[in-house]
Amino acid sequence: MKKRFVVKSKQHLSGGIIKIIVDIETGVNYIMTSGLGLSGMTPLLDKEGNVVVDRN
């Protein structure tokens, strides 16, 4: 089975972890946070407020 999501980067920050996850089918980048009992995932935005998309 082919993986749909890959980890682009990972950083430990203030007792938690921040990851940039890429949907390899759409190229959309997501920011995912976890730690301290909380977690979340949302599309990553650039400075103009547009969704970051990797073009393959």
Side-chain angles (χ1 to χ4, degrees):
M1 184 172 163
K2 183 179 173 184
K3 292 183 180 180
R4 180 164 180 176
F5 297 94
V6 296
V7 177
K8 185 175 182 178
S9 68
K10 179 179 174 180
Q11 181 177 348
H12 294 268
L13 184 66
S14 299
I17 299 173
I18 297 175
K19 297 178 186 175
I20 304 298
I21 309 293
V22 179
D23 179 338
I24 59 173
E25 290 186 15
T26 64
V28 173
N29 284 238
Y30 296 89
I31 188 165
M32 182 176 172
T33 60
S34 61
L36 302 174
L38 303 173
S39 64
M41 186 169 171
T42 189
L44 181 64
L45 305 178
D46 65 16
K47 63 182 180 180
E48 281 86 34
N50 300 309
V51 175
V52 175
V53 178
D54 288 354
R55 306 281 182 211
N56 293 339

